Amino acid sequence: MSDLSKLPVTVITGFLGSGKTTLITELMKTPGGKRLAVVVNEFGDVGVDGEILKGCAIPDCPAENIMELSNGCICCTVADDFIPTIEALMALEPRPDHILIETSGLALPKPLLKAFEWPDIRSRITVDGVIALADAEAVAAGRFAPDVARVDAQRAADDSLDHETPLSEVFEDQIACADIVLLTKPDLAGPDGVARAREIIAAEAPRPIPVIEVAEGVVDARVILGLEAAAEDDMAARPSHHDTPHDHDHDEFDSIAVELPELSDPAALVRAIEGLAREHNILRVKGYAAVAGKPMRLLVQAVGARVRHQFDRPWGAGEARQGRLVVIAEHDDIRRDVIEAALGTVRQPAE
């Protein structure tokens, strides 16, 4: 990573008990080749104990890369410790490749995103994505948090937590801000509970958002890291109630690479990717394409049906003008014939 490149940060949100620490522990074990750093929002006796994560430290995420914020809800105390903590992590040698921020169960994610607008860090850091964890059984039952009494105790114990937001509104804000929702503990909810939780999440989401079932925090790092969402620049798409003042082979996920001939219409490619997400449960598409008559390469990044594309650099001398997309989904949803047929509709028409 160049020292001039922006350092990506993933914000991990969700109520207490939704599985955030479990997820981060698993990411530390299987980081996909990235050197990680972690910021944990800590409430002392209440909330997540950062020592759990430090006890799982490995060379790609050593203990010195794990920092705690213990002065209350991170969304209400941004100026006190958050900015200095981020700056300290950025100054580490070797520099982390990616920072994970675990918010408290009651943190509102959007105010945290606004912190990345601070001049001291804006040019050096970017919000790669917001991951919301939701307990499937609790959501299906309309409780949103698995232990409501524990969440109430957290609120009472934290003097800095001045937003008396109902649990339902915090849940809605977390979903609305997310790039991906991880539906945890699906085994406890059962098929009917999972289906109900998915319906509730879909009803609350302001736009189509991928929802992935995750057990024991095990998820392929490729699915949730490297989204390049630049969420700090995408605030309008993330509405909030508060807009005004073990062995992990990850066999459940699979990927294929699809070669694309030069195409004539980028919009057709976008429509094809959107269709794959909606009709065939494709989670991620990333890569590049060659567009007829354009000297620049078209960079493509998709999370579910949300597709970003931009011309990123000129094609090199002697470089084949050939596109290549990597498609990621759960194992049973990776069907090369279906994917290639869908993407085949964007090829350059024959003369």
mmCIF file of all heavy atoms in Angstrom, residues 11 17-18 23 28 33 45 57 97 107 112 119-120 134 145 211 253 280-281 292 295-296 300 304 312 318 322 327 342:
data_model
loop_
_atom_site.group_PDB
_atom_site.id
_atom_site.type_symbol
_atom_site.label_atom_id
_atom_site.label_comp_id
_atom_site.label_asym_id
_atom_site.label_seq_id
_atom_site.Cartn_x
_atom_site.Cartn_y
_atom_site.Cartn_z
ATOM 1 N N VAL A 11 -16.762 -0.052 9.358
ATOM 2 C CA VAL A 11 -17.527 0.177 10.575
ATOM 3 C C VAL A 11 -18.469 -1.009 10.782
ATOM 4 O O VAL A 11 -19.256 -1.350 9.886
ATOM 5 C CB VAL A 11 -18.334 1.485 10.487
ATOM 6 C CG1 VAL A 11 -19.219 1.656 11.721
ATOM 7 C CG2 VAL A 11 -17.390 2.677 10.331
ATOM 8 N N GLY A 17 -24.752 -8.394 21.697
ATOM 9 C CA GLY A 17 -25.196 -9.768 21.534
ATOM 10 C C GLY A 17 -25.449 -10.179 20.099
ATOM 11 O O GLY A 17 -25.766 -11.337 19.838
ATOM 12 N N SER A 18 -25.274 -9.261 19.171
ATOM 13 C CA SER A 18 -25.527 -9.621 17.775
ATOM 14 C C SER A 18 -24.363 -10.378 17.149
ATOM 15 O O SER A 18 -24.511 -10.968 16.080
ATOM 16 C CB SER A 18 -25.839 -8.367 16.950
ATOM 17 O OG SER A 18 -24.749 -7.464 16.966
ATOM 18 N N LEU A 23 -17.452 -11.853 15.111
ATOM 19 C CA LEU A 23 -17.110 -11.584 13.715
ATOM 20 C C LEU A 23 -15.685 -11.066 13.600
ATOM 21 O O LEU A 23 -14.901 -11.539 12.759
ATOM 22 C CB LEU A 23 -18.087 -10.567 13.124
ATOM 23 C CG LEU A 23 -17.727 -10.033 11.735
ATOM 24 C CD1 LEU A 23 -17.873 -11.126 10.687
ATOM 25 C CD2 LEU A 23 -18.586 -8.812 11.386
ATOM 26 N N MET A 28 -9.883 -11.563 12.256
ATOM 27 C CA MET A 28 -8.482 -11.524 12.661
ATOM 28 C C MET A 28 -7.774 -12.829 12.314
ATOM 29 O O MET A 28 -6.601 -12.833 11.944
ATOM 30 C CB MET A 28 -8.379 -11.248 14.163
ATOM 31 C CG MET A 28 -8.747 -9.817 14.560
ATOM 32 S SD MET A 28 -8.970 -9.625 16.346
ATOM 33 C CE MET A 28 -7.396 -10.173 16.980
ATOM 34 N N GLY A 33 -5.299 -11.899 3.882
ATOM 35 C CA GLY A 33 -4.016 -11.319 3.509
ATOM 36 C C GLY A 33 -3.806 -9.886 3.952
ATOM 37 O O GLY A 33 -2.782 -9.285 3.632
ATOM 38 N N ASP A 45 -17.477 -2.492 32.407
ATOM 39 C CA ASP A 45 -18.159 -3.722 32.747
ATOM 40 C C ASP A 45 -19.295 -4.041 31.790
ATOM 41 O O ASP A 45 -19.750 -5.176 31.717
ATOM 42 C CB ASP A 45 -18.725 -3.653 34.173
ATOM 43 C CG ASP A 45 -17.638 -3.604 35.213
ATOM 44 O OD1 ASP A 45 -16.534 -4.082 34.927
ATOM 45 O OD2 ASP A 45 -17.909 -3.084 36.308
ATOM 46 N N ALA A 57 -4.934 -12.049 19.384
ATOM 47 C CA ALA A 57 -3.991 -11.353 18.514
ATOM 48 C C ALA A 57 -3.072 -12.336 17.802
ATOM 49 O O ALA A 57 -2.637 -13.347 18.363
ATOM 50 C CB ALA A 57 -3.167 -10.364 19.339
ATOM 51 N N ASP A 97 -3.247 -2.383 6.894
ATOM 52 C CA ASP A 97 -3.892 -2.340 5.581
ATOM 53 C C ASP A 97 -5.365 -1.966 5.693
ATOM 54 O O ASP A 97 -5.951 -1.472 4.733
ATOM 55 C CB ASP A 97 -3.811 -3.707 4.898
ATOM 56 C CG ASP A 97 -2.387 -4.151 4.645
ATOM 57 O OD1 ASP A 97 -1.588 -3.315 4.185
ATOM 58 O OD2 ASP A 97 -2.076 -5.325 4.921
ATOM 59 N N ALA A 107 -24.688 2.606 19.412
ATOM 60 C CA ALA A 107 -24.099 3.668 18.599
ATOM 61 C C ALA A 107 -24.907 3.874 17.327
ATOM 62 O O ALA A 107 -25.335 2.929 16.680
ATOM 63 C CB ALA A 107 -22.662 3.322 18.256
ATOM 64 N N LEU A 112 -20.976 8.732 13.319
ATOM 65 C CA LEU A 112 -19.592 8.272 13.235
ATOM 66 C C LEU A 112 -19.035 8.508 11.833
ATOM 67 O O LEU A 112 -17.888 8.945 11.672
ATOM 68 C CB LEU A 112 -19.508 6.791 13.602
ATOM 69 C CG LEU A 112 -18.134 6.140 13.475
ATOM 70 C CD1 LEU A 112 -17.098 6.879 14.309
ATOM 71 C CD2 LEU A 112 -18.195 4.677 13.866
ATOM 72 N N PRO A 119 -10.981 17.454 8.678
ATOM 73 C CA PRO A 119 -9.857 17.744 7.774
ATOM 74 C C PRO A 119 -8.594 16.960 8.100
ATOM 75 O O PRO A 119 -7.843 16.587 7.193
ATOM 76 C CB PRO A 119 -9.640 19.250 7.948
ATOM 77 C CG PRO A 119 -10.972 19.769 8.409
ATOM 78 C CD PRO A 119 -11.564 18.683 9.258
ATOM 79 N N ASP A 120 -8.347 16.678 9.387
ATOM 80 C CA ASP A 120 -7.110 16.003 9.773
ATOM 81 C C ASP A 120 -7.003 14.589 9.212
ATOM 82 O O ASP A 120 -5.894 14.065 9.068
ATOM 83 C CB ASP A 120 -7.001 15.949 11.307
ATOM 84 C CG ASP A 120 -6.683 17.305 11.906
ATOM 85 O OD1 ASP A 120 -6.306 18.217 11.145
ATOM 86 O OD2 ASP A 120 -6.831 17.456 13.134
ATOM 87 N N ALA A 134 -27.337 -8.262 12.648
ATOM 88 C CA ALA A 134 -28.688 -8.344 13.201
ATOM 89 C C ALA A 134 -28.946 -9.773 13.665
ATOM 90 O O ALA A 134 -28.753 -10.720 12.900
ATOM 91 C CB ALA A 134 -29.720 -7.931 12.146
ATOM 92 N N ALA A 145 -32.891 -6.501 19.669
ATOM 93 C CA ALA A 145 -31.715 -6.889 20.446
ATOM 94 C C ALA A 145 -32.026 -8.191 21.173
ATOM 95 O O ALA A 145 -33.141 -8.385 21.659
ATOM 96 C CB ALA A 145 -31.351 -5.810 21.460
ATOM 97 N N VAL A 211 -28.143 -9.320 2.269
ATOM 98 C CA VAL A 211 -28.309 -9.895 3.607
ATOM 99 C C VAL A 211 -27.710 -11.295 3.572
ATOM 100 O O VAL A 211 -28.122 -12.135 2.768
ATOM 101 C CB VAL A 211 -29.791 -9.958 4.019
ATOM 102 C CG1 VAL A 211 -29.938 -10.609 5.395
ATOM 103 C CG2 VAL A 211 -30.399 -8.554 4.023
ATOM 104 N N PHE A 253 -18.726 -19.907 0.545
ATOM 105 C CA PHE A 253 -18.620 -18.869 -0.476
ATOM 106 C C PHE A 253 -17.730 -19.350 -1.608
ATOM 107 O O PHE A 253 -16.815 -20.148 -1.417
ATOM 108 C CB PHE A 253 -18.055 -17.572 0.113
ATOM 109 C CG PHE A 253 -19.002 -16.901 1.056
ATOM 110 C CD1 PHE A 253 -18.862 -17.056 2.422
ATOM 111 C CD2 PHE A 253 -20.053 -16.133 0.581
ATOM 112 C CE1 PHE A 253 -19.746 -16.448 3.297
ATOM 113 C CE2 PHE A 253 -20.936 -15.523 1.441
ATOM 114 C CZ PHE A 253 -20.784 -15.681 2.804
ATOM 115 N N HIS A 280 -30.288 -13.865 -8.698
ATOM 116 C CA HIS A 280 -29.433 -15.028 -8.449
ATOM 117 C C HIS A 280 -28.565 -14.868 -7.208
ATOM 118 O O HIS A 280 -27.596 -15.615 -7.036
ATOM 119 C CB HIS A 280 -28.564 -15.300 -9.686
ATOM 120 C CG HIS A 280 -29.364 -15.567 -10.918
ATOM 121 N ND1 HIS A 280 -30.050 -16.750 -11.131
ATOM 122 C CD2 HIS A 280 -29.622 -14.782 -12.002
ATOM 123 C CE1 HIS A 280 -30.676 -16.699 -12.295
ATOM 124 N NE2 HIS A 280 -30.439 -15.514 -12.847
ATOM 125 N N ASN A 281 -28.899 -13.898 -6.362
ATOM 126 C CA ASN A 281 -28.250 -13.752 -5.044
ATOM 127 C C ASN A 281 -26.743 -13.531 -5.115
ATOM 128 O O ASN A 281 -26.000 -13.944 -4.218
ATOM 129 C CB ASN A 281 -28.541 -14.970 -4.160
ATOM 130 C CG ASN A 281 -30.014 -15.215 -3.979
ATOM 131 O OD1 ASN A 281 -30.776 -14.274 -3.757
ATOM 132 N ND2 ASN A 281 -30.436 -16.462 -4.091
ATOM 133 N N ALA A 292 -15.955 0.228 -25.995
ATOM 134 C CA ALA A 292 -15.600 0.603 -27.367
ATOM 135 C C ALA A 292 -15.493 2.121 -27.504
ATOM 136 O O ALA A 292 -16.353 2.868 -27.029
ATOM 137 C CB ALA A 292 -16.655 0.062 -28.339
ATOM 138 N N PRO A 295 -10.591 5.318 -24.394
ATOM 139 C CA PRO A 295 -9.189 4.960 -24.134
ATOM 140 C C PRO A 295 -8.930 4.532 -22.694
ATOM 141 O O PRO A 295 -7.863 4.006 -22.390
ATOM 142 C CB PRO A 295 -8.447 6.258 -24.445
ATOM 143 C CG PRO A 295 -9.440 7.336 -24.132
ATOM 144 C CD PRO A 295 -10.779 6.773 -24.523
ATOM 145 N N MET A 296 -9.910 4.760 -21.812
ATOM 146 C CA MET A 296 -9.725 4.454 -20.386
ATOM 147 C C MET A 296 -10.382 3.118 -20.028
ATOM 148 O O MET A 296 -11.389 2.716 -20.615
ATOM 149 C CB MET A 296 -10.358 5.552 -19.522
ATOM 150 C CG MET A 296 -9.818 6.948 -19.780
ATOM 151 S SD MET A 296 -8.229 7.231 -18.989
ATOM 152 C CE MET A 296 -8.749 7.433 -17.276
ATOM 153 N N VAL A 300 -15.178 -1.464 -12.164
ATOM 154 C CA VAL A 300 -16.528 -1.839 -11.728
ATOM 155 C C VAL A 300 -16.464 -2.410 -10.317
ATOM 156 O O VAL A 300 -15.637 -3.280 -10.025
ATOM 157 C CB VAL A 300 -17.148 -2.888 -12.678
ATOM 158 C CG1 VAL A 300 -18.552 -3.270 -12.218
ATOM 159 C CG2 VAL A 300 -17.187 -2.359 -14.107
ATOM 160 N N GLY A 304 -24.114 -6.339 -3.999
ATOM 161 C CA GLY A 304 -25.502 -6.629 -4.309
ATOM 162 C C GLY A 304 -25.879 -5.906 -5.594
ATOM 163 O O GLY A 304 -25.158 -5.929 -6.586
ATOM 164 N N ASP A 312 -10.821 4.512 -14.698
ATOM 165 C CA ASP A 312 -9.768 4.724 -13.703
ATOM 166 C C ASP A 312 -8.389 5.012 -14.285
ATOM 167 O O ASP A 312 -7.603 5.745 -13.701
ATOM 168 C CB ASP A 312 -9.694 3.532 -12.737
ATOM 169 C CG ASP A 312 -9.181 2.265 -13.403
ATOM 170 O OD1 ASP A 312 -9.390 2.110 -14.620
ATOM 171 O OD2 ASP A 312 -8.584 1.420 -12.706
ATOM 172 N N GLY A 318 -0.010 -2.062 -25.715
ATOM 173 C CA GLY A 318 0.106 -3.509 -25.853
ATOM 174 C C GLY A 318 -0.789 -4.298 -24.920
ATOM 175 O O GLY A 318 -0.799 -5.532 -24.963
ATOM 176 N N GLN A 322 -9.474 -6.217 -22.832
ATOM 177 C CA GLN A 322 -10.343 -7.323 -22.418
ATOM 178 C C GLN A 322 -10.767 -7.079 -20.985
ATOM 179 O O GLN A 322 -9.949 -6.754 -20.125
ATOM 180 C CB GLN A 322 -9.583 -8.648 -22.520
ATOM 181 C CG GLN A 322 -10.309 -9.834 -21.906
ATOM 182 C CD GLN A 322 -10.778 -10.831 -22.945
ATOM 183 O OE1 GLN A 322 -10.471 -10.706 -24.125
ATOM 184 N NE2 GLN A 322 -11.542 -11.810 -22.518
ATOM 185 N N VAL A 327 -16.806 -12.573 -9.623
ATOM 186 C CA VAL A 327 -18.164 -12.666 -9.084
ATOM 187 C C VAL A 327 -18.124 -13.532 -7.836
ATOM 188 O O VAL A 327 -17.604 -14.659 -7.868
ATOM 189 C CB VAL A 327 -19.128 -13.266 -10.124
ATOM 190 C CG1 VAL A 327 -20.550 -13.335 -9.574
ATOM 191 C CG2 VAL A 327 -19.090 -12.454 -11.420
ATOM 192 N N ALA A 342 -25.777 -14.071 -18.414
ATOM 193 C CA ALA A 342 -26.266 -12.733 -18.067
ATOM 194 C C ALA A 342 -25.287 -11.658 -18.524
ATOM 195 O O ALA A 342 -25.667 -10.647 -19.122
ATOM 196 C CB ALA A 342 -26.509 -12.636 -16.567
#
